[in-house]
Amino acid sequence: MPKHRIFTTEFSKVYPLYVQKAERKNRTKEEVDEIICWLTGYTPSGLEKQIERQNDFETFFAQAPAIHPNVSLIKGVVCGVRVEEVDDPLMRKIRYLDKLVDELTKGKAMEKILR
């Protein structure tokens, strides 16, 4: 079975879209970075290196230092899919990231987003 297209998409191509989405709702790049670092365990410099290397999502998550232990507390629907019901582990991580960015753009407080 072929890999889903998002797995081979460069994280560096989607990252600016996350930032733009946040900035349209008066949130900041720094908040997006904080969410990504919380979820993946990357430091800000580690995140920057991943973007510079133009790694795809599969590599980005495979090289993540540590997925946050509270990730199972992320629940809800993103793109019509309930994140906690996604079977594929990589797709679930991508959906977690999407959900966190969605929560940011909907005005949720960072303390609540970062559970």
Side-chain angles (χ1 to χ4, degrees):
M1 188 167 140
K3 290 181 184 180
H4 193 282
R5 190 178 76 196
I6 192 67
F7 296 173
T8 57
T9 300
E10 290 177 16
F11 177 77
S12 63
K13 293 203 186 300
V14 178
Y15 172 76
L17 301 176
Y18 289 140
V19 172
Q20 287 172 6
K21 183 176 182 177
E23 289 176 341
R24 279 195 307 269
K25 299 292 185 169
N26 297 318
R27 301 308 287 253
T28 66
K29 174 189 176 295
E30 290 75 22
E31 288 174 310
V32 173
D33 290 354
E34 185 177 353
I35 286 170
I36 295 169
C37 291
W38 177 87
L39 177 64
T40 61
Y42 284 113
T43 62
S45 63
L47 174 59
E48 190 61 40
K49 286 178 186 164
Q50 285 293 317
I51 294 167
E52 289 170 6
R53 291 182 186 142
Q54 299 180 333
N55 286 332
D56 59 24
F57 269 99
E58 187 170 29
T59 305
F60 175 78
F61 279 107
Q63 294 179 355
I67 298 300
H68 198 280
N70 288 350
V71 75
S72 63
L73 299 176
I74 301 170
K75 302 201 183 302
V77 177
V78 63
C79 301
V81 177
R82 186 155 287 286
V83 294
E84 61 270 24
E85 295 175 359
V86 175
D87 290 329
D88 184 279
L90 176 56
M91 183 61 83
R92 189 176 321 113
K93 291 172 189 168
I94 294 168
R95 294 296 187 188
Y96 284 151
L97 179 54
D98 290 344
K99 180 66 178 166
L100 294 174
V101 172
D102 277 358
E103 289 177 355
L104 178 70
T105 62
K106 289 179 179 168
K108 201 168 190 181
M110 285 300 284
E111 301 80 47
K112 292 190 180 200
I113 294 170
L114 303 182
R115 293 156 171 82

